[in-house]
Amino acid sequence: MEIEIDGKVAQVPDGSTIMDAAQQVGVYIPHFCYHKKLSIAANCRMCLVQVEKAPKPLPACATPVTNGMKVFTHSELAIKAQKGVMEFLLINHPLDCPICDQGGECQLQDLAVGYGGGASRFQEDKRVVFHKDVGPLISMQEMARCIHCTRCVRFGQEIAGVMELGMASRNMHSEITTFVGRSVDSELSGNMIDLCPVGALTSRPFRYSARSWELARRKSISPHDSVGANLALQIKNNVVMRVLPRDNEEVNECWISDKERFSYEALNSPARLAKPRVRVDGVLREVAWNVALDYVSHALQDVVTGSGGESLAALASPQATLEELHLLQKLIRGLGSGSLDFRPRRRDFSADGKLAGVPWLGLRLSEIKDLDAALVIGSFLRKDHPLFAQRLRQLSKKWGKVSLLSVSGDDQLLRLHAQLTVSPADLPRALAAVVKAAALLKGAVVPAGLETVEPCAVSQAIASSLVAGDKRAIFLGNVAEQSPQAALLHALAIELARLTGASCGFIGDGANSVGGHVAKALPTALNAYEMFAQPRKAYVLLGVEPELDCHNPQQAVAALKAADLVVMLTPFADGSAPDYADVLLPIAPFSETSGSFVNCEGRVQSFGGVVRPFGDSRPAWKVLRVLGNLLALAGFDQESSEQVRDEIVPPGTEFVSGLDNRLAALPLELAGSSGGLQRVADVPIHFADLLVRRAPALQQTRDAAAPTARMNGQTLSALGITDGVLVRVRQGAGEALLAARVDETTPPACVRVAAAHGSTAALGDMFGAINVERA
Amino acid sequence: MAILGAINPMLSVGLDGDNAWRLADYVKRDGYSSLRRILESGIGQGDVINEVKKSVLRGRGGAGFPTGLKWSFMPRSFPGDKYVVCNSDEGEPGTFKDRDILRYNPHAVIEGMAIAAFAMGATRGYNYIHGEVWEIYQRFEEALDEARAAGFLGRNILGSGFDFDLFAHHGYGAYICGEETALLESIEGKKGQPRFKPPFPASFGLYGKPTTINNTETFASVPYIINMGGESYLEAGKPNNGGTKLFSVSGHVNRPGNYEVPLGTPFAALLEMAGGMRGGRKLKGCIPGGSSAPVVPGPTMMDCTMDYDSISKAGSMLGSGAVIVMDETTCMVRALERLSYFYYEESCGQCTPCREGTSWLYKVVHRIEHGNGRADDLDLLASVTTNIMGRTICALGDAASMPVQSFIKHFRDEFAYHIENRKCLVPVDVQRAGSGFFTATA
Amino acid sequence: MLTSESLKRIDREIAKYPADQKQSAVMAALAIAQEQQGWLSSEAIEAVANYLGMAPIAAYEVASFYNMYDLKPVGKYKLSVCTNLPCMLTGGVDAGEYLKRKLGIGFNETTPDGLITLKESECMGACGDAPVMIVNNRRMCSWMNPEQIDKLLAELK
Ligand SMILES: Cc1cc2nc3c(=O)[nH]c(=O)nc-3n(C[C@H](O)[C@H](O)[C@H](O)COP(=O)(O)O)c2cc1C
Ligand code: SF4
Ligand code: FES
């Protein structure tokens, strides 16, 4: 189709709108309700333009182009229509931009300058709209400013997958609201603040803390999950005041999740560690950096000399940067230890050494939209990976058949083709059933070990979705990676991929879950579990809080308490660290250091520090480098984080090489069904890492509610317990007191007890037998 | 009797007796013979549409769009359901004809819809009935049961292999649901907010499926057209204005009610049938096509004939055929104030010019009526209406503007008097006497 | 919340629509819930939403959009009087005034004994019968003059 807009010729595909064509030729048409990611509402009427031969102005956002169409966006007719609409929008809108939180970044304000009239011809009282309390993240205090564009409503329905806001009533009394007094709980809710073109929906934590023009905008990358959302951090006086998404269609599109938007509060937390601390006479005392580093290097040297390299172990967070992980592994190996890992929540490491390459997603994020079918294995999808889930949601709304095989039936707010919810112990058997069903469908030999497996109707439905169509994918989620049978699940998934022709990969639980492999922060001796199961004399911890981040926090804390030396590199002084750490070295979180994350698709994303490190804290890569120097190890002479990165990936790398999920043959041995209660452990979204844990607004959301012991009604009554009573939950020597809750999404004979929270830190493994009795 | 008067009636023929609406009575009046003939004699879908085209039946819901042409827009081969939907959401002030059709002749609507469904290959239909006329909704449900039991609806109708299921859906108090796409949204269980067009319902209608929407009276006319043939139907009216039409006459006449007359009948004759002006007073103005149509001054109206073309020449619209008669006891400012309140109240609230504009219009007319008008208010009203018209998603914006423009145009002096003297030109007690509330008996 | 009788009636409404379009029954279901309760509490709206598998706010949008739903308690009888232009010309407004005087309340108010709530209403599609009013959304009363109104009020107890 060829069309002319203000004399500029555009070629656009059939079905495009005038707005699409205008954007292509760089003509700006004013608009409010139109948004490229949302359905067309055409309700604001700001985009009215003149079309040759049309008697009336037409909305550019909704009018399909026809061949040879001539459009005038600035003709007298168009301008008159636009000005008319602007006048209508302003008659009931408070004209007090100087006191509005949106002032300076308001689309209405911007356009009013161009299209607004002078004095108002409207002399009646303006509409009064009641404010609403919808939770800690979004402020709806100023609803009189709403211009009824319904972007927020459409966002909920179409992107978040849950309609929490609606436009109630009618006529000029229409108002955006939640259902009587409800809060907005979607993990993607903050995007509505960005979408709101005026100051009606604003950020509650940010509100009135700065004016937009006082803020500098710096690029960054989200440290929270494996998508690697592109962020813009907004700074005032060296403080991160707000976080917004940066558009990157390939990665996060234009969205970020609430944890990415609001976790910045932790960066400014009073719990930040300002100076190094060293335990002297049992008390952690502030010392100067040179003293602390001197102490650490001598202490490490002493342990190694006295007890051998293997008496030292190091554990890093999968959120550590590529550079940090690289230097850490160099340091530990240089000291003669191979006990080092960055996967604290793992339990089964039997795939290590059998991997053909770096495990990754198996395809690009942007390829998800073209899939015909997808199977997600072992995941609390929405809460583990909000943006990844959002992509699958869009896919499921089109043609894609998305199936979920997991340990809880939580509503993923996407249209699932099939869902199978089983006890964590039965996950391999359930997956094996899908594998066998696929083999039968394909007329292929049933893999050895699966003879006794009986595919049910659901596993057959999943298998048949995976054998049809062009592009299909299998994704292993966090639960699959954390499972004590992780390698078996991996092997089964590979087998399923081989049989069906689907891709297979890992979603990954951290910003650097791929990067850690690239940086080789992997054990050659004890892994993340063994290093605590077989206590060491000394530990180096980088950005982890073992009491919350480990597969078995109880075991980890016991080992740490018994160790002679625990060196902790952390931005925070609070938490349980003072119970076991001998040295606290204040390091810079992602906002204060340069570094790189390799996201789940292998994309290398480097970022710079956007503010000066807090207090005396320093970028961790520098700390590690100096320690390397003090310990006289070779290869610690980098001047910049870029130099460190270049040692790992060649300069200019966009995607790392060597991505490969294949696995050397592993016997497919299915365990018999285990009796008794099994633990289902999710890592709730706002407990998942050390930043979100310390973000006050996030901690007030429903997602941050204290853990309970959730069981389905049958399990609960079999235990003689009723909803709401206090129960004693026991795992090995550890126990916790929790409220029991009926939750029909929990599989039979299972108890869902969240990990990563202080109230459950005394428990053992995230998987396995668990005991529940009335307290 | 249902319809108070008629000239060459079709729809209202034989509607006497309390049970005239029952299936048996309808069949006695030759009811369902058109459907039977079509299904049994193998008349093709195209033939039916052609017959309707020949009749020049124009939509009776307001816009007067040729029905046969509308039916031909439905995609012929479409995999999956197609729908026919009847618009009985009659809420346009002054219109009350569909209520009487459904009350006295519901099977004509059912038969008309079944014929339409056959012609367009639709298998499901809904009749959306105004919420305020609950007895009518219940009666229609009963009529549906009768038709189903008699095999005129459902699977394999009259053994022809043609399936058509028809259901009633009630509104619950929203004028805007008379707008066809708002009506579809409402059937889908949502607020009645009109959709932007294109796509039109014929390609993306109910549940996203091809859908044709017609007014109650339009559907009810179809069996008569098939029975008498398109050409005879056309001849019953006047060229380009086929058939007879029901006119709802309200206001200052002696016998308000529905009258069925051929299109082209002089207004004076219709007025005569309605018993003439109350108390022999003079016709001050008349809204000839429902409240959304521009008001026409009395003398001009007396020269009109009741058809689409003549009324359009007089600067108004035949619309739904609702004739609101106003005599000299009417205060035109007050009349407009009430209409403006209606459009303000009934705006769905979705698009800016209508949501904000209708409330602005009302507030200004209100202040004039209440003695707070300003010198430039009439210009302001004119300007606001031009900023609304043609810029909204649906025609409610236009519907709200046209009364304002026409009342001011034709009765400007009365508005000016109001602004200047802060009171009505027609004294309040004269207005009250005009209503006859305290003098009339039932 | 919803009685089994109400649910049965709602099921009959659901059956009118394609199997994957239960939401289409929301208007009828809300009307049924309102009949059961006399008005629509948020609990009732939520119960309807849950029954039809839709978001509560989506049901609330519907309940708040259509005029005949009462989101606040009303008297035993709700009297809606049409005052739109055609009715006004033949006494609709006067009828409203008459009622206000007789009952001693204004529009949108309820008599102190909780018996009658008075509402002003838009066109009911019965202008030929003006003045018209509806009792409890169901019973339409036509050609109302002072005498008729007195009779009606005497009957509503
Ligand atoms: C605001 C508005 C209200 C309407 N109300 C009605 C109505 O009550 N009844 C009706 O049949 N058409 C009404 N219409 C017209 C319908 O949109 C549509 O044109 C009509 O139902 C088509 O049927 P027809 O072609 O048989 O007239 C209304 C249109 C608008 C814009
Ligand atoms: S013109 Fe009015 S009624 Fe029509 S869509 Fe716009 S706001 Fe709704
Ligand atoms: S952007 Fe086109 S109508 Fe709002």
Side-chain angles (χ1 to χ4, degrees):
Chain A
M1 295 260 170
E2 194 172 290
I3 109 161
E4 203 182 292
I5 302 179
D6 295 345
K8 295 183 189 166
V9 176
Q11 310 272 355
V12 289
D14 197 3
S16 308
T17 60
I18 296 176
M19 187 71 88
D20 297 332
Q23 281 178 344
Q24 197 197 85
V25 291
V27 170
Y28 175 76
I29 300 176
H31 59 266
F32 293 110
C33 67
Y34 168 80
H35 188 276
K36 62 183 178 199
K37 290 284 179 188
L38 302 175
S39 63
I40 295 168
N43 59 29
C44 77
R45 305 267 121 185
M46 193 62 216
C47 68
L48 292 172
V49 293
Q50 183 179 3
V51 176
E52 196 183 50
K53 293 200 197 93
K56 304 187 282 191
L58 297 174
C61 68
T63 305
V65 299
T66 52
N67 215 4
M69 189 182 240
K70 280 204 175 77
V71 177
F72 308 94
T73 71
H74 278 80
S75 64
E76 203 188 315
L77 182 83
I79 295 289
K80 193 160 173 283
Q82 292 161 8
K83 287 194 162 168
V85 170
M86 180 52 80
E87 181 178 34
F88 285 136
L89 284 170
L90 293 178
I91 60 173
N92 274 306
H93 191 91
L95 296 178
D96 52 0
C97 305
I99 62 151
C100 172
D101 194 43
Q102 192 88 353
E105 51 180 359
C106 171
Q107 291 175 37
L108 185 66
Q109 188 183 27
D110 293 348
L111 286 176
V113 173
Y115 297 91
S120 176
R121 301 195 287 167
F122 182 78
Q123 284 136 337
E124 317 297 316
D125 292 338
K126 290 197 186 231
R127 171 170 48 224
V128 176
V129 187
F130 237 60
H131 57 84
K132 282 117 197 147
D133 183 354
V134 296
L137 304 182
I138 298 179
S139 163
M140 288 177 73
Q141 290 297 302
E142 314 263 341
M143 291 314 288
R145 302 187 190 281
C146 168
I147 57 166
H148 304 88
C149 69
T150 66
R151 278 182 176 188
C152 55
V153 177
R154 284 175 284 148
F155 174 84
Q157 294 172 307
E158 297 163 17
I159 307 294
V162 53
M163 185 176 176
E164 293 182 297
L165 290 180
M167 190 161 91
S169 304
R170 57 153 105 156
N171 60 44
M172 62 99 73
H173 298 297
S174 302
E175 61 182 68
I176 302 293
T177 178
T178 53
F179 183 67
V180 280
R182 294 272 159 99
S183 51
V184 170
D185 300 324
S186 158
E187 66 281 358
L188 297 173
S189 69
N191 292 297
M192 298 182 200
I193 300 167
D194 298 342
L195 288 173
C196 180
V198 295
L201 306 187
T202 53
S203 161
R204 201 158 165 180
F206 171 73
R207 211 165 134 70
Y208 292 128
S209 62
R211 306 298 286 177
S212 65
W213 56 86
E214 303 169 326
L215 297 168
R217 181 187 156 96
R218 303 276 153 68
K219 295 177 176 182
S220 190
I221 301 295
S222 165
H224 295 289
D225 74 22
S226 59
V227 165
N230 291 197
L231 307 178
L233 269 47
Q234 296 194 307
I235 319 300
K236 177 179 152 188
N237 299 334
N238 200 47
V239 174
V240 177
M241 305 297 292
R242 181 163 69 170
V243 175
L244 299 173
R246 259 186 308 132
D247 270 27
N248 187 337
E249 201 48 38
E250 311 247 286
V251 179
N252 51 303
E253 303 166 78
C254 53
W255 315 122
I256 54 174
S257 64
D258 288 354
K259 64 178 170 178
E260 288 159 329
R261 184 180 303 269
F262 296 106
S263 71
Y264 74 88
E265 284 193 294
L267 304 172
N268 313 324
S269 158
R272 282 293 298 272
L273 178 63
K275 282 188 162 51
R277 293 184 192 176
V278 173
R279 196 173 294 277
V280 182
D281 300 332
V283 182
L284 284 167
R285 291 187 202 282
E286 285 189 354
V287 295
W289 265 108
N290 58 347
V291 176
L293 290 171
D294 209 44
Y295 177 86
V296 170
S297 62
H298 280 105
L300 287 174
Q301 194 67 63
D302 286 353
V303 169
V304 171
T305 324
S307 316
E310 289 306 340
S311 58
L312 168 67
L315 186 65
S317 156
Q319 296 191 345
T321 66
L322 194 61
E323 294 77 358
E324 292 162 0
L325 291 168
H326 175 68
L327 292 179
L328 178 69
Q329 64 90 17
K330 248 179 156 172
L331 184 84
I332 300 303
R333 292 205 162 92
L335 288 168
S337 171
S339 302
L340 133 106
D341 213 332
F342 74 106
R343 302 164 296 174
R345 285 199 202 284
R346 273 211 170 220
R347 177 66 182 86
D348 175 18
F349 299 82
S350 47
D352 284 11
K354 297 197 174 65
L355 294 167
V358 172
W360 69 302
L361 190 62
L363 43 58
R364 297 276 160 81
L365 286 166
S366 59
E367 289 176 289
I368 292 175
K369 65 178 180 306
D370 303 319
L371 291 172
D372 294 295
L375 168 63
V376 178
I377 303 160
S379 178
F380 296 91
L381 194 53
R382 237 176 97 197
K383 300 295 177 182
D384 285 352
H385 300 102
L387 294 178
F388 180 82
Q390 190 279 132
R391 284 193 183 262
L392 287 177
R393 179 171 305 128
Q394 301 314 317
L395 175 67
S396 76
K397 283 205 290 197
K398 291 186 277 174
W399 53 77
K401 292 184 170 150
V402 180
S403 303
L404 179 63
L405 167 53
S406 194
V407 295
S408 121
D410 295 6
D411 190 350
Q412 299 303 334
L413 304 179
L414 49 76
R415 193 181 303 155
L416 286 176
H417 165 67
Q419 180 170 22
L420 202 53
T421 304
V422 299
S423 155
D426 295 336
L427 211 44
R429 184 164 286 276
L431 178 55
V434 180
V435 175
K436 184 163 178 180
L440 295 175
L441 272 172
K442 283 293 215 182
V445 182
V446 174
L450 308 191
E451 295 79 5
T452 62
V453 176
E454 302 235 357
C456 64
V458 183
S459 38
Q460 282 167 351
I462 296 173
S464 57
S465 74
L466 289 174
V467 299
D470 271 354
K471 295 182 190 150
R472 292 131 297 147
I474 299 163
F475 301 110
L476 291 150
N478 293 356
V479 178
E481 287 201 73
Q482 292 154 0
S483 162
Q485 308 181 77
L488 178 58
L489 289 166
H490 184 175
L492 285 163
I494 291 285
E495 193 57 28
L496 184 60
R498 184 187 65 77
L499 283 163
T500 58
S503 70
C504 171
F506 295 91
I507 312 176
D509 73 345
N512 244 337
S513 45
V514 171
H517 284 268
V518 176
K520 304 212 165 47
L522 294 162
T524 44
L526 304 185
N527 58 46
Y529 193 80
E530 292 164 336
M531 66 175 71
F532 298 117
Q534 301 163 38
R536 305 286 96 189
K537 283 210 150 46
Y539 291 94
V540 176
L541 303 173
L542 171 62
V544 276
E545 299 183 284
E547 69 278 14
L548 299 173
D549 290 335
C550 282
H551 190 87
N552 186 328
Q554 179 202 2
Q555 168 180 290
V557 170
L560 290 168
K561 281 189 176 157
D564 294 344
L565 174 69
V566 176
V567 179
M568 194 160 174
L569 287 74
T570 175
F572 296 104
D574 62 345
S576 307
D579 296 351
Y580 51 72
D582 301 294
V583 183
L584 295 178
L585 299 178
I587 56 166
F590 79 106
S591 52
E592 299 167 13
T593 180
S594 55
S596 312
F597 294 132
V598 183
N599 81 352
C600 55
E601 50 178 356
R603 182 188 300 267
V604 182
Q605 301 192 101
S606 296
F607 52 91
V610 303
V611 289
R612 280 189 311 279
F614 171 81
D616 286 352
S617 50
R618 291 186 186 176
W621 73 267
K622 284 191 183 168
V623 176
L624 293 164
R625 204 212 70 163
V626 175
L627 277 174
N629 296 148
L630 290 174
L631 288 159
L633 301 174
F636 283 86
D637 36 39
Q638 303 85 348
E639 295 288 329
S640 67
S641 71
E642 288 75 17
Q643 276 183 18
V644 182
R645 181 190 62 205
D646 292 350
E647 283 180 15
I648 320 161
V649 289
T653 301
E654 198 185 344
F655 290 94
V656 296
S657 56
L659 297 170
D660 195 336
N661 288 313
R662 281 170 308 161
L663 192 64
L666 205 77
L668 303 180
E669 280 168 7
L670 299 173
S673 193
S674 51
L677 285 179
Q678 293 285 313
R679 176 171 179 190
V680 170
D682 55 323
V683 178
I685 184 166
H686 298 329
F687 303 161
D689 62 57
L690 76 186
L691 290 179
V692 291
R693 279 169 204 149
R694 293 174 173 84
L698 290 176
Q699 289 311 308
Q700 289 160 33
T701 61
R702 268 168 177 264
D703 273 332
T708 52
R710 293 155 70 170
M711 286 160 270
N712 71 22
Q714 216 182 341
T715 310
L716 207 62
S717 57
L719 290 167
I721 299 170
T722 48
D723 183 69
V725 309
L726 204 61
V727 290
R728 193 179 309 281
V729 175
R730 250 199 298 256
Q731 266 185 297
E735 65 172 52
L737 279 179
L738 300 170
R741 283 272 171 259
V742 188
D743 174 4
E744 296 303 336
T745 66
T746 304
C750 289
V751 188
R752 177 161 162 183
V753 177
H757 191 266
S759 66
T760 62
L763 297 173
D765 279 9
M766 289 172 70
F767 288 70
I770 188 165
N771 223 302
V772 177
E773 60 196 39
R774 191 184 276 270
Chain B
M1 178 143 115
I3 293 184
L4 294 185
I7 301 172
N8 297 333
M10 305 178 200
L11 265 172
S12 51
V13 168
L15 298 188
D16 29 23
D18 275 352
N19 276 333
W21 67 274
R22 292 263 170 212
L23 177 74
D25 297 86
Y26 183 60
V27 170
K28 261 189 251 158
R29 297 196 299 273
D30 237 7
Y32 287 110
S33 59
S34 298
L35 179 64
R36 188 180 293 278
R37 198 149 58 76
I38 290 170
L39 295 181
E40 287 176 356
S41 62
I43 296 177
Q45 297 178 320
D47 300 333
V48 176
I49 295 183
N50 264 337
E51 217 47 51
V52 176
K53 276 187 180 163
K54 272 192 248 163
S55 76
V56 198
L57 169 64
R58 295 174 59 168
R60 303 301 196 220
F65 193 83
T67 303
L69 188 60
K70 188 189 260 187
W71 290 11
S72 66
F73 294 151
M74 283 283 270
R76 221 142 298 175
S77 50
F78 178 85
D81 286 335
K82 288 189 265 186
Y83 291 93
V84 289
V85 172
C86 177
N87 188 342
S88 301
D89 191 42
E90 196 168 53
E92 170 95 356
T95 318
F96 48 90
K97 65 193 175 65
D98 297 340
R99 170 183 183 228
D100 271 358
I101 295 174
L102 291 174
R103 177 151 57 171
Y104 300 113
N105 208 359
H107 284 285
V109 179
I110 298 174
E111 185 181 5
M113 289 188 77
I115 295 171
F118 170 80
M120 291 179 275
T123 51
R124 281 177 90 86
Y126 293 95
N127 185 11
Y128 189 104
I129 300 174
H130 199 50
E132 284 84 344
V133 289
W134 194 258
E135 296 100 331
I136 302 301
Y137 170 73
Q138 285 176 319
R139 177 172 291 187
F140 192 74
E141 292 257 50
E142 261 189 79
L144 286 175
D145 286 341
E146 288 184 327
R148 279 187 204 114
F152 294 122
L153 287 177
R155 307 264 106 197
N156 191 18
I157 295 173
L158 301 175
S160 64
F162 166 58
D163 301 335
F164 179 58
D165 285 315
L166 179 58
F167 306 94
H169 182 107
H170 67 73
Y172 228 56
Y175 164 64
I176 191 59
C177 290
E179 196 282 339
E180 55 187 18
T181 55
L183 183 151
L184 296 179
E185 291 281 301
S186 186
I187 298 183
E188 290 182 5
K190 305 178 204 153
K191 287 179 293 181
Q193 292 190 331
R195 301 175 182 169
F196 178 79
K197 286 156 280 184
F200 291 93
S203 53
F204 191 93
L206 185 59
Y207 309 126
K209 303 290 195 298
T211 302
T212 289
I213 301 138
N214 276 116
N215 172 254
T216 320
E217 187 184 355
T218 312
F219 278 124
S221 306
V222 169
Y224 301 93
I225 290 171
I226 299 299
N227 254 345
M228 70 171 66
E231 267 146 38
S232 324
Y233 185 84
L234 172 59
E235 278 160 26
K238 75 179 228 189
N240 197 33
N241 295 271
T244 59
K245 162 114 192 66
L246 279 176
F247 288 96
S248 305
V249 184
S250 63
H252 294 141
V253 294
N254 281 317
R255 284 206 316 156
N258 283 313
Y259 297 89
E260 182 179 2
V261 297
L263 285 169
T265 302
F267 170 73
L270 182 63
L271 189 57
E272 189 65 44
M273 287 170 84
M277 299 297 296
R278 274 218 203 160
R281 286 190 290 266
K282 245 176 57 196
L283 178 68
K284 181 171 188 176
C286 172
I287 305 178
S291 64
S292 309
V295 64
V296 177
T300 319
M301 196 66 217
M302 291 309 293
D303 292 339
C304 285
T305 57
M306 297 309 289
D307 56 80
Y308 296 92
D309 300 333
S310 167
I311 300 290
S312 154
K313 232 183 271 157
S316 188
M317 306 184 315
L318 190 72
S320 54
V323 182
I324 306 171
V325 176
M326 293 175 280
D327 67 21
E328 312 139 309
T329 66
T330 316
C331 168
M332 289 316 216
V333 181
R334 185 151 180 245
L336 179 63
E337 186 210 11
R338 187 61 187 84
L339 288 183
S340 294
Y341 179 80
F342 169 71
Y343 290 106
Y344 145 74
E345 163 67 25
E346 296 294 338
S347 162
C348 86
Q350 105 179 282
C351 67
T352 307
C354 171
R355 179 186 62 245
E356 306 295 338
T358 52
S359 83
W360 197 355
L361 289 179
Y362 166 64
K363 284 173 180 167
V364 175
V365 180
H366 178 82
R367 77 178 174 218
I368 297 176
E369 166 65 16
H370 286 81
N372 300 314
R374 304 173 191 180
D376 52 3
D377 272 355
L378 299 184
D379 295 338
L380 178 62
L381 286 172
S383 157
V384 173
T385 56
T386 46
N387 279 343
I388 299 174
M389 286 185 78
R391 298 181 189 168
T392 51
I393 291 182
C394 82
L396 189 134
D398 290 9
S401 302
M402 284 185 298
V404 175
Q405 292 183 345
S406 61
F407 270 77
I408 295 178
K409 181 173 163 200
H410 296 302
F411 302 96
R412 195 173 181 99
D413 292 351
E414 201 168 331
F415 283 81
Y417 179 93
H418 232 301
I419 292 173
E420 212 166 295
N421 300 291
R422 306 186 173 274
K423 62 173 198 226
C424 298
L425 182 62
V426 181
V428 176
D429 49 334
V430 173
Q431 293 179 41
R432 183 161 304 138
S435 89
F437 176 74
F438 291 102
T439 47
T441 43
Chain C
M1 175 78 242
L2 297 168
T3 62
S4 61
E5 170 62 20
S6 294
L7 291 177
K8 234 190 282 161
R9 290 177 62 196
I10 293 173
D11 286 339
R12 276 204 293 275
E13 296 296 328
I14 293 173
K16 292 179 179 176
Y17 308 96
D20 56 346
Q21 301 292 347
K22 266 173 137 174
Q23 180 172 344
S24 282
V26 69
M27 290 181 66
L30 290 171
I32 291 165
Q34 177 162 313
E35 258 184 64
Q36 179 195 309
Q37 211 184 15
W39 64 292
L40 273 179
S41 61
S42 36
E43 290 76 27
I45 298 172
E46 189 171 9
V48 165
N50 291 341
Y51 196 67
L52 298 178
M54 59 196 285
I57 180 67
Y60 185 76
E61 278 191 340
V62 171
S64 61
F65 186 87
Y66 298 92
N67 271 345
M68 290 165 70
Y69 298 116
D70 296 307
L71 302 190
K72 296 204 186 89
V74 290
K76 184 171 174 203
Y77 299 105
K78 180 178 75 167
L79 258 180
S80 316
V81 187
C82 177
T83 59
N84 207 310
L85 178 61
C87 272
M88 176 174 114
L89 294 173
T90 30
V93 173
D94 299 325
E97 293 303 320
Y98 184 76
L99 274 165
K100 284 188 201 168
R101 236 181 305 132
K102 284 249 21 161
L103 298 171
I105 54 172
F107 285 133
N108 298 315
E109 290 177 5
T110 303
T111 51
D113 58 0
L115 193 66
I116 292 176
T117 299
L118 201 55
K119 294 244 171 188
E120 185 173 24
S121 155
E122 289 306 338
C123 181
M124 297 166 174
C127 329
D129 304 0
V132 286
M133 49 197 68
I134 301 184
V135 183
N136 284 347
N137 290 338
R138 292 291 180 267
R139 176 176 155 205
M140 191 180 279
C141 308
S142 299
W143 301 293
M144 300 304 280
N145 55 24
E147 242 170 86
Q148 296 280 1
I149 292 176
D150 291 348
K151 237 186 349 195
L152 177 68
L153 291 182
E155 187 195 318
L156 303 182
K157 277 276 137 59

